[in-house]
Amino acid sequence: MDNFTFPTDSHIHTDIVCFAEHGWNFTSDRPQHLLKRFAKGFRVFYIELPVFHADADRYDITLTEDHVIVVTPNLQGEPAQNDATTRWRELLIRLFNEERIDSYIFWYYSVQALKVSTHFTPDLVIYDCMDRPSETEEMRESEHELLEFADVVFTSGQRVFEATRKLHENTYLFPNSIDKDHFASARTFKYDPPDQASIGRPRFGYFGEIDQRIDFDLLVTVSKKRPHWHFILVGAVVNVSSSQLPNYRNFHYLGAKRYEELPQYIGGWNIAMIPFAHNEYTRFINPTKTAEYLAAGKPVISSPITDVIRPYGISGLVSIAGTANEFIKVAEELLAADEETKSTLMYKVDHYLAGQSWDKTWGEMMGLIATLLSKKALQGPKHLQEAWMQSESVLVEERHFEH
């Protein structure tokens, strides 16, 4: 493998090493929004989960347009092999040596990565908790170990914050935010993308992973009662078989789309929806798409998800429907709304979203990180003092830019 050299200024000392749950290009969600902003002041290494069946153990490196360094470990053989964890750890050690990662912050999304990273000595350990693991007892035990390892825990929603702060005293709520300008472009919608153009109306749209979270029983019941309504699902099918998906004339699966393309699709919908079931996969979910739908200028119907009810439901920004009959009632009211009612809703939406941005969330995180590093620097070695000074420098530069 050719050694990768990242173009950086000499004053940069501390790196951020993020252990990811999904590939960088899998979606554009909280990790991507935050880390590309951190990459303005740090080298950011985004470590994906290993890919197996490679010809030989190696890691591949790519540099995104936002200067995030994406690292893909490739391991020969099968995930169940006894030495897979050891070889993954050896690739990490090689990466740290070859890229001269000497002073660094660990940032975790994946609890699985803990087993290959605890022998390192990071300046700071951050667990950005977007959900609580529920798949296996092993995953839950790994999260418990990660909580003990972490200096600080960030959480993406109110429900997961309330659960996690009982387990870690240094837990902070940083709710998912919004790239308003990007999604607001859907409001000037003119033409459908080709694969959506022939779909009839009214259209009920969803984008995101198509998986165990979606309440297909609800959608099927609604579709049978209102067969002229069309349900558009944009996203990759994950962890479920395509053969298990409802196969009706008014269901339309358009596949995964690039983040840049999403406003074009949303612009052609009548109503956006979050049709999540109540199960172990949605207990702590805080859907980023809620604010994105609203910024796009669409009325939204959601299942009674706690972090949608609070604050969007109780603020009258999102309609909540837990049954098929409730969904139909709310949908018919939204479809029949006059222009004055629609304008009033959009005014409330814009007022609510005005103070939200990923830049603001990133800035608040940076401030807390600088504070935590400063506390460690008071009693720590020289490289910790340098890490704190770097974080302070990033904050000063950002404040100068804002003014």
Side-chain angles (χ1 to χ4, degrees):
M1 183 200 71
D2 294 334
N3 192 48
F4 175 88
T5 301
F6 181 78
T8 184
D9 296 332
S10 59
H11 73 281
I12 297 295
H13 301 290
T14 298
D15 301 318
I16 292 178
V17 179
C18 173
F19 295 99
E21 187 70 32
H22 298 294
W24 180 261
N25 294 319
F26 178 76
T27 185
S28 187
D29 207 340
R30 180 183 177 95
Q32 287 80 2
H33 286 299
L34 291 173
L35 292 172
K36 70 181 183 181
R37 287 166 169 81
F38 278 103
K40 297 175 183 178
F42 299 85
R43 285 198 309 175
V44 175
F45 292 87
Y46 185 87
I47 314 294
E48 298 180 334
L49 293 175
V51 175
F52 289 86
H53 304 293
D55 294 334
D57 289 353
R58 70 178 194 278
Y59 63 81
D60 296 333
I61 283 186
T62 56
L63 182 65
T64 74
E65 62 182 13
D66 298 301
H67 298 294
V68 174
I69 306 166
V70 178
V71 181
T72 307
N74 290 262
L75 296 178
Q76 189 177 40
E78 301 288 342
Q81 286 184 260
N82 293 332
D83 64 344
T85 298
T86 300
R87 290 187 288 118
W88 182 10
R89 185 184 296 117
E90 290 172 350
L91 284 182
L92 277 180
I93 293 172
R94 188 194 311 174
L95 172 73
F96 274 56
N97 290 335
E98 294 182 348
E99 301 306 322
R100 299 181 180 179
I101 306 174
D102 301 314
S103 176
Y104 46 91
I105 295 169
F106 272 178
W107 187 297
Y108 286 90
Y109 287 106
S110 169
V111 299
Q112 301 177 59
L114 187 68
K115 60 188 176 183
V116 298
S117 54
T118 52
H119 60 291
F120 290 92
T121 54
D123 299 337
L124 189 70
V125 178
I126 299 168
Y127 175 28
D128 192 8
C129 182
M130 297 173 60
D131 200 353
R132 301 298 312 284
S134 57
E135 290 89 345
T136 64
E137 184 63 30
E138 180 183 1
M139 290 284 283
R140 287 187 285 270
E141 290 178 359
S142 294
E143 194 207 33
H144 179 74
E145 294 175 10
L146 177 53
L147 288 168
E148 291 185 342
F149 187 47
D151 295 297
V152 62
V153 179
F154 300 159
T155 57
S156 63
Q158 185 67 34
R159 184 78 184 274
V160 71
F161 168 72
E162 292 169 354
T164 307
R165 68 178 173 177
K166 299 175 184 177
L167 305 174
H168 197 291
E169 62 180 5
N170 207 18
T171 298
Y172 295 84
L173 174 61
F174 290 103
N176 287 327
S177 195
I178 173 69
D179 182 352
K180 291 191 292 289
D181 291 342
H182 177 68
F183 285 94
S185 64
R187 300 189 186 193
T188 57
F189 158 80
K190 293 182 179 179
Y191 303 106
D192 270 314
D195 56 348
Q196 185 170 273
S198 62
I199 298 174
R201 293 179 179 275
R203 297 169 176 173
F204 296 79
Y206 165 91
F207 74 76
E209 297 172 35
I210 300 172
D211 56 16
Q212 304 97 321
R213 298 173 302 172
I214 295 182
D215 189 346
F216 281 109
D217 290 338
L218 170 71
L219 293 182
V220 167
T221 301
V222 174
S223 73
K224 289 181 177 179
K225 293 186 175 184
R226 296 294 184 272
H228 61 289
W229 289 1
H230 292 267
F231 299 89
I232 299 173
L233 295 100
V234 174
V237 178
V238 180
N239 296 327
V240 294
S241 171
S242 297
S243 63
Q244 296 176 295
L245 301 179
N247 184 21
Y248 297 94
R249 287 185 300 174
N250 56 347
F251 275 74
H252 310 273
Y253 304 98
L254 303 188
K257 306 298 177 185
R258 293 182 297 110
Y259 180 72
E260 293 76 16
E261 297 176 285
L262 292 177
Q264 301 173 44
Y265 285 87
I266 301 170
W269 302 345
N270 296 96
I271 294 174
M273 59 181 182
I274 308 173
F276 285 160
H278 277 273
N279 57 35
E280 61 179 333
Y281 302 101
T282 61
R283 286 181 61 204
F284 300 102
I285 198 167
N286 180 273
T288 311
K289 61 178 61 63
T290 311
E292 293 170 342
Y293 286 157
L294 292 172
K298 296 301 171 183
V300 181
I301 301 176
S302 174
S303 303
I305 301 298
T306 300
D307 280 6
V308 177
I309 296 173
R310 299 181 300 175
Y312 300 102
I314 61 176
S315 299
L317 303 177
V318 170
S319 300
I320 306 298
T323 67
N325 287 337
E326 290 174 357
F327 188 104
I328 291 170
K329 180 177 182 296
V330 168
E332 289 178 338
E333 291 173 354
L334 292 173
L335 292 171
D338 57 28
E339 290 304 315
E340 182 179 355
T341 301
K342 294 176 182 177
S343 296
T344 300
L345 175 60
M346 285 303 101
Y347 176 82
K348 291 172 63 178
V349 164
D350 291 341
H351 178 74
Y352 178 82
L353 295 179
Q356 297 187 31
S357 72
W358 285 112
D359 285 334
K360 178 183 177 183
T361 302
W362 168 82
E364 291 172 350
M365 285 181 171
M366 267 302 313
L368 180 56
I369 289 170
T371 299
L372 293 169
L373 287 172
S374 70
K375 290 179 179 178
K376 287 197 168 190
L378 291 175
Q379 298 177 336
K382 182 179 179 181
H383 73 86
L384 276 176
Q385 298 175 26
E386 292 175 341
W388 166 58
M389 291 174 64
Q390 178 187 339
S391 66
E392 285 292 309
S393 175
V394 172
L395 281 174
V396 170
E397 290 176 5
E398 177 64 18
R399 289 170 185 146
H400 175 74
F401 175 78
E402 289 176 349
H403 290 88

